[in-house]
Amino acid sequence: MIPASYSVRDLTIRPGTVLAPMAGVTDTLFRRVIRGLGGCGLLMTEFTSSEGITRSAKKTLRYLYFQEDEHPITAQLFGADPEVMAKAARMVEDLGYDAVDINLGCPAKKVVKCGGSGLLRDMPLLERIFRAVHAAVKIPLTIKLRAGWDENSIVAVDVAKLAESVGVEAIAVHPRTRMQGYAGQADWNIIAAVKQAVRIPVIGNGDINAPEDAERMVQQTGCDAVMIGRAAATNPWIFPQMQQYAAAGRYDTPTDTDRHQLLSGYYREINAANQPDAVGKMKQFACWFSHGVGNGGELRRNVHAARTPGEVLESVERFFEHRASVRGDDSEPVGIARNEDPAHGPSSGSVRSEAALRT
């Protein structure tokens, strides 16, 4: 079953479930939605440019904003300069984060030139980064990595051993290569191999779309925790569903009312935050989220036709009010999209990586 907890030094994560860092998605508002639904042991920020942090760029520092109810929370950094990464990690520690994570997984072209999965091709540089960041902070240091650059250079086990030897205290493994991107199938055997190779906690990530998948991953790999990324964007209830499944072997699916309340509440928070990208964020989330809603295509069309946050909210309210009037009740659960592939990071054309790299 899904692990009840795991520990990274003196930091206990309970339950053993982690929200994956997703560019353009896991900001403080989305993280607090997930925290409010329950069942998620650890939150992680969007991956954040170490160069931007050390230059105190406003756009970059915005990604590191969090509130007290988000603990425990990890800040994820990317970069390729050991000294800059170390300085950024110290700044993250000073902000009150519980741990710092190094991104070795992002496949975007603009990121691999200065970090992300590009670092998997340079083990000496990786070691210098690990040593510099580990020496710079007192909070736990963790990493998230891919299997390797391509199928001819699967280095996850080698990187994991190196990381453990220099003081990294937990490893999340997404068992696809950089060249795969998010296509094909995640090879969970790589997670199992990493787990067998090191003594520190190993978190499995990739192709978990439902609680049953999480259970299978734990059984097949022996991983200490599971990390959920894209499935949390289409189905934010997946974390409490995993808790239900672990306790009773079954789980509830959200009703129209549940979906209406979450979507409307989340959009109101985005609107109130007065973010410059509010409309874009609303439209992006509607595209993922509405695939679990009956007649979701209509909702997507309505949202995408809106030009202001207020118009987006109005379109959501009208849609669900109309569904309620047609159905007469909302007692029937709606299906959950389990095979959608929402944008996961800047490789999908998001301007997020460009903003981070410009800072």
Side-chain angles (χ1 to χ4, degrees), residues 2 7 35 37 47 69 71 81 92 114-115 122 140 153 155 179 198 227 247 249 261 303 320 335 352 355:
I2 293 126
S7 295
R35 181 66 84 214
L37 291 171
F47 78 82
D69 60 358
H71 288 291
D81 184 315
V92 160
C114 59
D122 192 338
S153 57
V155 297
M179 297 305 292
V198 298
M227 176 180 282
Q261 290 178 345
V303 168
F320 282 102
R352 164 67 176 87

Side-chain angles (χ1 to χ4, degrees), residues 237 253-264 289-290 292-296 299 316 319-335:
W237 291 270
T253 55
T255 65
D256 268 11
T257 296
D258 295 328
R259 290 183 173 277
H260 180 195
Q261 290 178 345
L262 186 143
L263 188 58
S264 179
F289 185 83
S290 60
V293 178
N295 201 22
L299 177 57
V316 169
F319 174 83
F320 282 102
E321 286 173 4
H322 176 69
R323 278 185 59 78
S325 66
V326 170
R327 292 171 60 119
D329 64 76
D330 60 1
S331 59
E332 180 185 349
V334 293

Side-chain angles (χ1 to χ4, degrees), residues 115-154:
S117 56
L119 293 173
L120 298 175
R121 296 177 293 181
D122 192 338
M123 295 288 278
L125 175 58
L126 260 186
E127 181 174 359
R128 294 199 299 274
I129 291 173
F130 290 162
R131 291 189 183 280
V133 176
H134 181 260
V137 296
K138 296 182 177 63
I139 56 177
L141 169 62
T142 66
I143 63 174
K144 182 176 186 289
L145 75 160
R146 282 189 170 241
W149 182 258
D150 57 30
E151 62 181 10
N152 297 315
S153 57
I154 304 299

